[in-house]
Amino acid sequence: MPAPFPTDWSRALVVAAHPDDIEYGVAAAVAVLTAAGKEVHYLLATRGEAGIAGVPPAEAGPLREQEERRSAAVVGVSEVEFLDHRDGTLVEGPALRADLAAAIRRHRPELVVTLHGGDTWTTPDTTPAAWNSADHRALSRSVLDAVADAGNEWIFPDLPGEPWSGTQYVAVQTIGEPPHAVDVADGVEAAVASLTEHRRYLEVLDPGTPVEEQARNQIDQATLTEDGGRRVGFRLFWG
């Protein structure tokens, strides 16, 4: 069985590549944590402007930002920041790390959460495998490095803000059997409502299925366990 998720923290920063990434499961955990009195902020590396087929980026970016802000509010998150990197072209390296580190200094979290950044969305022995996106792979590793960068005054000496070494944990969403998990039974309905706020995105993604049905199916896939429980799993790293 997974170990309990730590509770000895007050403020978390959830970092994702695109609007809607958090809502595919992790938002269920966010709903539980904010209901317990935790303060949670969101940080998005891009505005997801390349994510809606047939909708030009200049239109899609502002639309997806609005959907994300509404979605975050449903699970108790009022602060959502966008770094405005170009969707689809995130690159693991110093430029992204510096922007993330600056944001970590601004938000000063004790816990940083990010999404699965492995090569595939399937287990290693699965073939054909479901390849993870380039943005997800680049972001996850950069977040882990940026937590250390945020506390170091010399790596990016021109970085604004006071160094922040107060991050105790970095939690990375996992697939398969997780080492740590949040019981999200009480957060499922909020998570479904949160994903439903990405209405335009989901309408284009699957025009034949009602948005509410899509959202519930996705949350079921992300949280249901074999024994009928609900959980979201993470691997923890020291901050």
Side-chain angles (χ1 to χ4, degrees), residues 6-224:
T7 59
D8 56 337
W9 55 273
S10 297
R11 183 186 301 111
L13 180 65
V14 183
V15 188
H18 318 104
D20 85 84
D21 285 351
I22 300 168
E23 284 68 56
Y24 281 85
V26 170
V30 172
V32 170
L33 296 171
T34 57
K38 303 296 188 181
E39 180 181 349
V40 181
H41 300 174
Y42 283 179
L43 178 69
L44 284 296
T46 81
R47 296 176 192 272
E49 69 275 6
I52 304 181
V55 180
E59 179 184 346
L63 169 66
R64 300 202 70 196
E65 177 182 341
Q66 293 166 12
E67 289 187 336
E68 181 58 38
R69 292 189 187 279
R70 291 196 298 267
S71 179
V74 170
V75 293
V77 177
S78 59
E79 187 163 347
V80 182
E81 180 182 355
F82 292 83
L83 293 179
D84 218 18
H85 282 254
R86 184 166 171 254
D87 186 12
T89 65
L90 293 183
V91 176
E92 178 189 351
L96 181 56
R97 283 169 47 197
D99 283 349
L100 293 169
I104 290 167
R105 289 185 179 184
R106 288 192 295 275
H107 292 272
R108 303 174 73 82
E110 290 100 12
L111 168 70
V112 172
V113 180
T114 195
L115 278 63
H116 173 65
D119 286 344
T120 70
W121 282 110
T122 44
T123 55
D125 59 342
T126 300
T127 183
W131 190 242
N132 201 355
S133 84
D135 281 355
H136 294 164
R137 288 181 279 119
L139 183 75
S140 182
R141 295 179 65 89
S142 294
V143 168
L144 286 160
D145 290 329
V147 169
D149 298 335
N152 189 311
E153 61 188 299
W154 303 121
I155 294 177
F156 300 115
D158 297 328
L159 207 64
E162 291 296 319
W164 173 250
S165 299
T167 300
Q168 302 175 51
Y169 310 103
V170 185
V172 181
Q173 177 195 23
T174 65
I175 58 172
E177 188 65 24
H180 297 266
V182 178
D183 185 326
V184 298
D186 292 337
V188 168
E189 293 308 315
V192 172
S194 183
L195 181 53
T196 300
E197 290 294 339
H198 293 275
R199 185 166 296 276
R200 182 72 181 280
Y201 174 77
L202 293 173
E203 286 173 343
V204 173
L205 188 67
D206 184 359
T209 304
V211 167
E212 291 78 4
E213 182 179 341
Q214 289 188 58
R216 189 165 297 280
N217 289 342
Q218 291 295 337
I219 298 304
D220 284 349
Q221 290 179 36
T223 66
L224 266 175

